[in-house]
Amino acid sequence: MRATVMYGAGDVRVENVPDPIVKEPTDAIVRVTRACICGSDLWPYQSMPHKDGGRRMGHEFIGVVEDVGSDVSGLQRGDVVVAPFVWADNTCDFCREGLQTSCRHGGGWGAPGVDAGQGEAVRVPQAQGTLVKLPVAEDAALMPSLLTLSDVFCTGHHGVVTAGVGPGSSVTVIGDGAVGLCAVLAAKRLGAEQIILNGRHKVRTDLGREFGATDVVAERGDEAVAKIRELTGGDGTHAVIECVGTEPSVATALEAVRAGGRVSRLGVSQYTQVPMGFGTFFRNVTLTGGVAPARAYIEELMPDVLDGTIEPGRVFDRTIGLDETPDGYRAMADREALKVLIEP
Amino acid sequence: MRATVMYGAGDVRVENVPDPIVKEPTDAIVRVTRACICGSDLWPYQSMPHKDGGRRMGHEFIGVVEDVGSDVSGLQRGDVVVAPFVWADNTCDFCREGLQTSCRHGGGWGAPGVDAGQGEAVRVPQAQGTLVKLPVAEDAALMPSLLTLSDVFCTGHHGVVTAGVGPGSSVTVIGDGAVGLCAVLAAKRLGAEQIILNGRHKVRTDLGREFGATDVVAERGDEAVAKIRELTGGDGTHAVIECVGTEPSVATALEAVRAGGRVSRLGVSQYTQVPMGFGTFFRNVTLTGGVAPARAYIEELMPDVLDGTIEPGRVFDRTIGLDETPDGYRAMADREALKVLIEP
């Protein structure tokens, strides 16, 4: 089959790789019908050292079950399924606590010996725990929004949940990428009253307004903090969702949050330290969030997608075939495209 | 009257200062009957540059109301009261949220123009919001434990509350000072099942065991992390309460916490950065806590002190008169005394 392999920064190829087969009794084979490129894929796209043999890419996909191992129940050939962006048994203590990203028997797509989402098919380990059936046909119009349950909308939701967003909350979302926009939508869905989107790309912030942003702040750093404070009577917002992953972005988040408030970080950390000295100590600022256990949220969020209450799939602004994937990476890295959907 | 003034590192004096009088209608005058020295007082004792005129010291005290301003209701001459370690109106939005340390009309003891606790008397701003009446006589045997409601036991409680400790939790407490020991007691009170005390001073860790510690780890740094993991099946504890305030201590805390767990920091931060890079991001570690809004907890904790269920006052191992206060600082700095109680 064909699959996407990254060999280093800027070097993404679609190549022939072995067809997946059931290796473990807990495996399933899924033919991928929709996949996409994640903002987090751009970090290695910009910086990965050359790797012989490359690294299989993609951790968001929907597909159709082709085969299941003998220990897999509840799934059968022909089921349309969505995969969260890590695989997990969904039964261990971490999974039961809703932290499938720390599953004792789980792991990441594209790890050695494991397929990844940007390809024609995937061997899914721990398939029974990992995959969630979708009650729709494989060509349903809702596919883009359902695909966001694999990662990006669940990630936005994780941010607002861990930041304690609820009815009446004020929220700042830092970053107008797909995760940031999904965080806006998730905050709106949970009843946030004021949602300040910090971003400077008008097409994106316009979509952010449609998703529920009440204010847009285009500045960065101290100027952004000043604007956010101005919009909140000097206090900052109860919650800040950090959707970039750089140290300046985290610093802005920690300054923009109200005393007693929470900063949730969703952007994959490209830093090793965060500036949490006496100022944040005295203001009782909490830093929370992290990699989102999408699996924990899929069932809860799916009904709102199915009935059209929310349309997170609007973050996709380009659809390509599998062979065009390298250009999809380039388009996202060049900010030509917000988020690219792949139809293998 | 006599009061404690710090002029710089190692330079603590008890001096004559003006007698306090009601200046604002919201003031009360309190004659101090019990005060104490805080571990956080040791930071300036070790490092404060010389300051002309000095800085009034002490933020923990119990006393008897001598006079009240015209706007103060609910308090009268003769009432025995405890003061939390910042003063606050207890009515603003932050106070109503239980964050009296960020009160819009509050402030710190010893700030310019404000008295402090290590003296014969104190003008208490925002007295009605700040002071809590104690249903005991001024010479009650329970005074040491009641005095801990001013700061140190409420601070330990703040740590375990913000860290989400509850029945069955596993908790690590880093630091065997008075705050650490109070955090152990507070964790036990809230039902924690495993409480690992990280400290190396046997007299203190012995008291920690009496307060509820199930394990004591004397190592520091990576060795402490290894021991804590060994005691928890490799996982670390759900909660870690950081009661030191140095960067190595925070680093240990962040490594000793279980995935999805919370580190609450209580030690006044002597650092500007914390090491929260990809490791903590991937493990969904939360950093919370901060300066404790003691006022929010006093009424809740007082009954358990009054009926003897808890005896946090056992952290006091030396009682001195006001004039001996400089030696009290020295004794705590030299670790001769755990926590010093002052009877002015």
Side-chain angles (χ1 to χ4, degrees), chain B residues 36 38-40 59-61 82-85 146-157 179 182 292 294 298 339:
Chain B
C36 53
C38 183
S40 68
H59 53 263
E60 301 158 279
F61 61 99
V82 60
F85 75 97
L146 290 167
L147 180 58
T148 69
L149 297 178
S150 198
D151 177 347
V152 64
F153 185 61
C154 288
T155 292
H157 179 70
V179 168
C182 283
I298 293 176
K339 191 168 175 76

Side-chain angles (χ1 to χ4, degrees), chain A residues 165-171 184 186-195 212 214:
Chain A
V165 172
S169 295
S170 58
V171 184
V184 168
K188 176 73 175 175
R189 179 178 171 276
L190 290 182
E193 194 173 289
Q194 182 178 29
I195 304 172
T214 53

Side-chain angles (χ1 to χ4, degrees), chain B residues 14 47 192 285:
Chain B
V14 178
S47 64
V285 170

